[in-house]
Amino acid sequence: MITLLWLIGLVLGIAILAYLRVGLLNACLAIGAYLLAMTLLAPVHWFIDLLLWAVFLCVAIPLNLPDVRRNSISKPMFSWFKKVLPPISDTEQEALDAGTVWWDGELFSGRPDWNRLHSFPKPTLTEEERAFMDGPVEELCRMTDEWELTTELQDLSEESWSYIRSNGFFGLIIPKEYGGKGFSAYAHSQIAMKLASRSGDLGSTVMVPNSLGPAELLMHYGTEEQKNHYLPRLANGTDIPCFALTSPEAGSDAGAMPDKGIVCKGQWQGQEVIGLKVTWEKRYITLGPVATILGLAFKVFDPDHLLGDEEERGITLALIPTETEGVEIGRRHFPLNAAFMNGPNSGKDVFIPMDYLIGGQDMIGQGWIMLMNCLSVGRSISLPAGSTGAAKMASMTTGAYARIRKQFNLPIGEFEGIQEALARIGGNTYVMNAARTMTAGAVDLGEKPSVLSGVVKYHLTERMRTCINDAMDVHGGKGICMGPKNYLGRGYQSIPISITVEGANILTRSMMIFGQGAIRCHPYVLQEMQATQDPDENSALERFDQLLFEHIGFALGNASGSLLLGLTNGRFVKNPGNAETSAYYGQLSRLAAAFATLTDVTMLMLGGELKRRERISARLGDVLSNLYMASATLKHYQDQGCPEEDLPFVQWGVEDLLAQIEQAMHEVLLNFPNRAVGILLRPIIFPLGRHLSPPSDLIGAEIARRLMTPGAARDRLLDGCYRSNDPEDVTGLLNSTLEKVILADPLELRLGKAIHSGELEHDSEADMLEVAAEAGVISPEEAEQIRSARLARAAVIAVDDFSKEEMSPKAAKPAKKPKASTTPA
């Protein structure tokens, strides 16, 4: 028994040394000292002593002799590593080189520094940005009628277009010296979110010029002449931009675009110059039908070697006025009844001068890296903001509707089935807003979070889908009958648009998030890959040897951390937070260590095959994503001052994410390519088994009550969402009715008791309030208050109907190409 305890102590000691990452030499000295004490003091059989010393010396001696270690271990590993490295295309390499590593690097480390997380400043608006939100943004939302926009006009109103231009909505990110607003990324996100909470079409129209539009590309890569000419025109709306990337045969695989530009000589403004003949076919281009400036991505070829010896010059970006001869602006697409401007464009042998290239001739072939850097910012802001705006609108309207609408003489929000849907809507909205805010804040810190932008793009659009679907279920017939009174239908119809754009969600989840993150964010893998590219083999081997054994120590430390934190349930680590949230940090620390362990073993076992094992990659990507969103949720709660009334949203969000992390890891182990390794990993990943549960029904019920009741928690959740109290407005009627119904409820209760007790007798429903007032059960003013609430409730639950003539399709009118110099019609 004593021998067993000594052996258990040895194993635990090694695990603790690995977890503490004490270094190879120090660890060997500590283990040697323990073995010596064990030999001298413990009644261990001589054979066990001899075996332990033999194993220890056979491992410790070569590891601590650099030359021996390098030749006997590192050199064979170096050769193997070079063989299993996945082939990386030029575009994949440029994607890896793009962007920066931020909190995702902490998660891949297996040991996130929570103090660092909370040291990031809370994103805030300046006074100027707040004034713009409260003034022009509020007014633009107010003047937007989504039914008119999507059904009668199939476009923004002329008034809205004019307002957008005159108030600088297209120049949010353009610096003030060029006439733009120069707003922060957080302000950009807040504006886009509020506009999208009113209308997805309105949000899309403003988002595109401020994300992956020519303005951002010009700001980072344009020549001074290009900046001085175009940025003021884009800022004041003189020019409307679009960016054409997607081709019919190259969607998510944009690197395979067939569009090309041939370097040649041609006539330009009466002179022969070197330029390019560009041929392209693009589609799904937002703002394309009304754009005056076309951003274009294509591949450049120099067959006559006018620029040098290299013939294939790579992906390049140009900025082409749409009035240029040969540019063809196609007719509009019609994406799921959405009315934002979207359509194809093309050109054949369109000659452009070199100064049409963004950044000029020197930037030929740099287009993909330019796009990757700008895409990471656009994905970090526009789509997460639009998705969160839609989720906040769903929270606002569904919470109010569940309180206003009655069945079986009860508000439908009192039924547990409805509460389950409300909990998902409110909990998801809180998590989405937290992730959106933290990621926009990272951009303001100077980060270009290429991996995290994929995380928030995918997960926030998917959670938005869940919110809107749940909202439709709660609204029932109210949600499915289209008309001016329906505030959900168009959003429901257009859900797949955000799922599809800027990289299809299936691809983003199954290939990009973990596939890019595992190389880009891992502390050693990218460096090891770079070491193999060193032409000096001795130098490469020396560098690889150092990295390899640091990596081994890192992997052992994470495996030990997963085991130790799993056995103690994450309790014996120092965590921030309060009594309610501290345990969540411990669980995240445990799961981060387990994730890092799974990552290393998966990459070791699969090597280049990982690119083709998309389901495993997707599940590991889900773990990374949920770790990030849980971190953001806890930080958001901390930044808000830890208000107690918000705690149910935090509990629901984090517990839902933790349970999903465990499930994803479980599925990875079940489907691990080497079954034996998967079985051996399980006690390290789940030493106490899987035990994290989804949020309880009690937490869900608390969220439902907060969504149905005006108060501080509801106000914070809906902060930044367009909220009207005007009964003439489609959502304003809902908000004003909610207040009326809540004020009238005690009166309705008093009235109901009087009726059931027999105190009131009446002949019909119509005169009941008058009878009650005459009997003194309620006052005449209270009777009017009840009547007003009932009328408002009836107006809320009403749906639209149409005559046969109104439902008949109107005669199609020939499409006209909008003129560039006029307001789009």
Side-chain angles (χ1 to χ4, degrees):
M1 184 64 181
I2 297 176
T3 300
L4 180 61
L5 291 175
W6 275 91
L7 292 174
I8 291 173
L10 177 63
V11 173
L12 285 176
I14 292 173
I16 292 169
L17 290 170
Y19 175 68
L20 296 175
R21 299 177 184 174
V22 297
L24 178 60
L25 179 59
N26 290 333
C28 289
L29 291 174
I31 295 170
Y34 187 92
L35 286 176
L36 181 61
M38 187 173 174
T39 302
L40 296 175
L41 302 176
V44 179
H45 194 279
W46 68 267
F47 177 76
I48 296 176
D49 266 341
L50 184 63
L51 179 63
L52 290 174
W53 275 107
V55 171
F56 170 69
L57 293 174
C58 286
V59 173
I61 291 174
L63 288 184
N64 285 282
L65 296 174
D67 290 338
V68 175
R69 182 182 73 189
R70 192 174 300 122
N71 290 315
S72 61
I73 301 174
S74 298
K75 193 170 184 178
M77 286 293 294
F78 184 70
S79 300
W80 172 82
F81 190 68
K82 290 179 74 172
K83 289 178 183 177
V84 301
L85 272 180
I88 298 177
S89 67
D90 291 342
T91 53
E92 286 176 317
Q93 186 60 55
E94 288 174 342
L96 288 173
D97 293 338
T100 58
V101 177
W102 188 56
W103 186 249
D104 40 354
E106 290 282 346
L107 298 174
F108 268 100
S109 77
R111 196 169 296 183
D113 182 349
W114 301 116
N115 289 327
R116 183 183 176 219
L117 174 72
H118 290 299
S119 72
F120 299 136
K122 174 186 175 182
T124 56
L125 297 175
T126 65
E127 290 186 11
E128 181 184 4
E129 291 165 346
R130 172 58 63 187
F132 190 79
M133 286 287 297
D134 295 341
V137 177
E138 181 80 9
E139 177 60 18
L140 182 57
C141 289
R142 186 201 61 76
M143 68 172 61
T144 299
D145 182 326
E146 188 165 51
W147 179 252
E148 176 190 58
L149 190 165
T150 59
T151 307
E152 298 172 13
L153 299 177
Q154 280 299 313
D155 191 4
L156 299 181
S157 68
E158 191 170 319
E159 178 190 19
S160 294
W161 275 108
S162 177
Y163 195 84
I164 287 170
R165 285 170 152 169
S166 62
N167 284 275
F169 278 89
F170 287 158
L172 301 178
I173 65 170
I174 295 175
K176 291 183 177 181
E177 57 263 35
Y178 296 106
K181 298 292 183 185
F183 284 168
S184 64
Y186 178 63
H188 176 191
S189 177
Q190 289 288 104
I191 293 165
M193 180 181 70
K194 187 166 187 174
L195 295 177
S197 73
R198 181 57 159 174
S199 163
D201 292 307
L202 178 62
S204 298
T205 300
V206 172
M207 284 177 202
V208 169
N210 291 291
S211 54
L212 183 58
E216 186 172 6
L217 290 163
L218 286 169
M219 285 159 50
H220 290 289
Y221 304 107
T223 65
E224 287 305 312
E225 291 79 9
Q226 289 170 340
K227 293 177 184 178
N228 290 330
H229 176 74
Y230 282 117
L231 290 179
R233 295 171 62 85
L234 291 169
N236 64 27
T238 300
D239 277 325
I240 297 179
C242 70
F243 192 86
L245 176 61
T246 303
S247 303
E249 296 292 339
S252 296
D253 183 15
M257 68 180 72
D259 314 292
K260 62 183 180 180
I262 306 298
V263 179
C264 62
K265 293 181 179 179
Q267 292 294 316
W268 187 258
Q269 296 180 349
Q271 295 183 352
E272 186 179 69
V273 299
I274 294 179
L276 302 100
K277 280 188 177 179
V278 188
T279 298
W280 75 92
E281 182 184 2
K282 304 288 188 179
R283 65 179 179 183
Y284 309 146
I285 310 306
T286 300
L287 292 185
V290 295
T292 63
I293 296 294
L294 171 66
L296 185 66
F298 55 92
K299 292 179 177 177
V300 169
F301 298 88
D302 184 14
D304 297 329
H305 303 287
L306 297 177
L307 303 180
D309 295 334
E310 194 175 357
E311 183 170 329
E312 294 187 15
R313 311 289 292 196
I315 295 173
T316 302
L317 309 182
L319 202 55
I320 305 173
T322 54
E323 62 187 15
T324 302
E325 184 178 354
V327 174
E328 294 291 333
I329 301 297
R331 299 191 300 173
R332 286 178 62 181
H333 297 314
F334 191 26
L336 294 173
N337 280 334
F340 66 93
M341 289 291 171
N342 189 276
N345 60 72
S346 61
K348 183 172 177 58
D349 293 333
V350 177
F351 184 80
I352 62 171
M354 286 292 178
D355 59 9
Y356 274 17
L357 302 182
I358 297 178
Q361 182 176 320
D362 291 342
M363 296 304 289
I364 289 177
Q366 301 301 307
W368 194 246
I369 193 74
M370 294 159 68
L371 286 172
M372 288 301 98
N373 279 317
C374 290
L375 268 173
S376 69
V377 176
R379 284 188 183 136
S380 299
I381 297 173
S382 297
L383 290 168
S387 298
T388 307
K392 290 198 174 198
M393 184 275 292
S395 293
M396 176 184 73
T397 57
T398 312
Y401 188 78
R403 181 66 184 78
I404 294 166
R405 180 77 162 115
K406 285 189 174 182
Q407 294 285 277
F408 307 104
N409 208 33
L410 279 175
I412 61 173
E414 295 297 326
F415 295 98
E416 290 192 355
I418 300 295
Q419 289 179 352
E420 185 178 4
L422 289 172
R424 282 194 299 269
I425 295 171
N428 278 320
T429 300
Y430 191 94
V431 170
M432 292 167 67
N433 191 47
R436 172 196 69 89
T437 301
M438 180 164 155
T439 312
V443 176
D444 280 329
L445 293 174
E447 302 291 341
K448 294 181 179 179
S450 54
V451 174
L452 295 179
S453 67
V455 169
V456 290
K457 187 273 175 182
Y458 168 71
H459 285 277
L460 269 60
T461 55
E462 289 294 342
R463 284 176 179 254
M464 177 270 292
R465 188 205 305 249
T466 299
C467 289
I468 299 297
N469 282 340
D470 279 328
M472 289 291 287
D473 286 352
V474 173
H475 281 77
K478 170 73 174 178
I480 66 172
C481 291
M482 295 302 295
K485 296 184 177 71
N486 190 322
Y487 39 79
L488 284 176
R490 289 298 188 222
Y492 176 76
Q493 285 179 318
S494 63
I495 284 172
I497 297 174
S498 59
I499 302 297
T500 301
V501 300
E502 294 211 28
N505 271 9
I506 289 176
L507 175 69
T508 302
R509 174 176 180 257
S510 61
M511 294 180 67
M512 291 178 61
I513 293 175
F514 182 76
Q516 187 177 354
I519 297 174
R520 187 75 179 86
C521 305
H522 194 286
Y524 295 104
V525 170
L526 184 58
Q527 294 184 71
E528 289 166 340
M529 293 173 65
Q530 291 168 342
T532 65
Q533 307 302 313
D534 189 338
D536 184 338
E537 189 166 336
N538 289 329
S539 172
L541 182 58
E542 185 176 349
R543 177 66 177 146
F544 182 80
D545 173 74
Q546 177 188 350
L547 290 168
L548 174 64
F549 282 91
E550 287 180 5
H551 190 163
I552 291 172
F554 166 83
L556 291 174
N558 283 325
S560 300
S562 178
L563 178 64
L564 295 173
L565 293 175
L567 289 172
T568 60
N569 208 21
R571 288 191 177 90
F572 299 106
V573 288
K574 188 176 180 180
N575 294 317
N578 54 27
E580 289 81 12
T581 61
S582 179
Y584 294 145
Y585 290 95
Q587 292 295 343
L588 288 173
S589 293
R590 171 179 78 84
L591 294 171
F595 167 66
T597 301
L598 265 181
T599 295
D600 274 321
V601 176
T602 302
M603 296 180 74
L604 176 67
M605 298 300 298
L606 291 179
E609 181 70 15
L610 182 59
K611 289 178 68 173
R612 290 175 288 278
R613 300 302 295 267
E614 295 178 20
R615 292 180 180 178
I616 287 179
S617 178
R619 291 172 180 129
L620 289 170
D622 289 344
V623 175
L624 170 65
S625 301
N626 290 334
L627 285 169
Y628 177 69
M629 291 190 292
S631 302
T633 301
L634 291 170
K635 174 173 168 51
H636 186 70
Y637 181 58
Q638 193 88 1
D639 286 346
Q640 295 287 318
C642 301
E644 186 176 352
E645 58 267 30
D646 289 6
L647 191 58
F649 295 100
V650 180
Q651 292 171 320
W652 191 98
V654 177
E655 289 175 18
D656 176 65
L657 291 162
L658 291 174
Q660 289 189 48
I661 291 169
E662 273 203 345
Q663 179 63 25
M665 288 182 170
H666 169 64
E667 292 175 8
V668 169
L669 294 175
L670 279 180
N671 295 278
F672 210 72
N674 187 310
R675 192 78 184 99
V677 173
I679 292 172
L680 291 173
L681 275 174
R682 187 168 287 276
I684 296 174
I685 304 301
F686 300 124
L688 297 180
R690 290 188 297 137
H691 59 276
L692 297 178
S693 302
S696 70
D697 294 345
L698 289 175
I699 292 173
E702 286 299 322
I703 289 177
R705 292 188 187 98
R706 281 158 175 74
L707 287 187
M708 292 189 293
T709 308
R714 190 173 191 267
D715 288 343
R716 272 189 296 272
L717 185 72
L718 301 181
D719 182 49
C721 175
Y722 176 70
R723 299 171 69 182
S724 169
N725 267 63
D726 180 2
E728 299 300 315
D729 179 84
V730 62
T731 56
L733 172 64
L734 201 64
N735 290 326
S736 61
T737 301
L738 176 63
E739 295 177 0
K740 290 181 178 180
V741 165
I742 289 175
L743 289 173
D745 264 358
L747 307 179
E748 290 274 19
L749 184 62
R750 192 193 313 165
L751 188 63
K753 286 181 178 179
I755 293 172
H756 289 301
S757 67
E759 182 181 349
L760 278 180
E761 295 182 2
H762 58 282
D763 297 329
S764 68
E765 182 75 16
D767 67 357
M768 182 179 64
L769 293 176
E770 292 183 11
V771 171
E774 290 173 0
V777 175
I778 55 176
S779 68
E781 293 77 16
E782 289 172 331
E784 185 56 37
Q785 190 174 343
I786 295 174
R787 185 176 289 108
S788 176
R790 290 179 177 180
L791 289 173
R793 175 186 282 122
V796 163
I797 66 175
V799 298
D800 297 285
D801 49 51
F802 302 90
S803 67
K804 180 181 178 181
E805 292 74 22
E806 289 173 310
M807 293 293 292
S808 300
K810 297 179 180 178
K813 297 180 181 179
K816 295 182 180 179
K817 178 180 176 181
K819 295 181 180 179
S821 60
T822 61
T823 299

